[in-house]
Amino acid sequence: QVQLVESGGGLVQPGGSLRLSCTASRSIFSFDTMGWYGQAPGKQREWVAAIPSGGTTNYTDSVKGRFTITRDTAKNTVHLQMDSLKPEDTAVYHCNAQKHFGTFSRDYWGQGTQVTVST
């Protein structure tokens, strides 16, 4: 059973920064992609950023230039550095790990960490 544990959320003023962390219970290289999703109140969960095991990072347009996803393989951890935060970034952020099996994919999720951007 895979466990993903997020941390680092909180309340921050507009323009501020937060760093989210996601620690996996096994090597993150055992997954094809690690990523972050955000779920704002009353909305569906949406993809934010991803870091494939052998490729380049990807971001949704609204966070490009402000968010950075990185990984620390020694600690089985993926980070999401969030800078220049805006009120519309407010959401519960969930860590995702995806493993491909041919045409089938298995997704694993963390419990989420709340990010609130407000004055």
Side-chain angles (χ1 to χ4, degrees):
Q1 183 70 14
V2 175
Q3 289 186 327
L4 303 174
V5 180
E6 301 104 331
S7 61
L11 172 64
V12 64
Q13 292 186 345
S17 297
L18 284 174
R19 188 190 193 211
L20 307 185
S21 298
C22 169
T23 299
S25 58
R26 71 186 197 203
S27 171
I28 58 176
F29 274 126
S30 67
F31 304 106
D32 294 287
T33 304
M34 299 290 297
W36 289 92
Y37 287 68
Q39 186 164 15
K43 296 187 177 181
Q44 290 187 333
R45 192 174 297 183
E46 297 182 339
W47 171 74
V48 174
I51 183 165
S53 60
T56 57
T57 55
N58 295 283
Y59 303 91
T60 192
D61 287 345
S62 63
V63 308
K64 285 181 180 177
R66 300 189 298 120
F67 291 9
T68 305
I69 186 170
T70 59
R71 61 187 170 211
D72 183 341
T73 55
K75 296 182 179 180
N76 294 331
T77 298
V78 175
H79 300 287
L80 184 68
Q81 178 67 39
M82 311 169 77
D83 298 319
S84 302
L85 281 160
K86 304 176 181 180
E88 51 264 43
D89 295 321
T90 295
V92 176
Y93 284 79
H94 295 268
C95 180
N96 169 266
Q98 190 173 81
K99 179 69 177 175
H100 301 310
F101 301 94
T103 58
F104 171 75
S105 294
R106 174 77 183 271
D107 285 286
Y108 303 91
W109 296 96
Q111 82 288 352
T113 185
Q114 176 71 48
V115 171
T116 303
V117 185
S118 176
T119 56

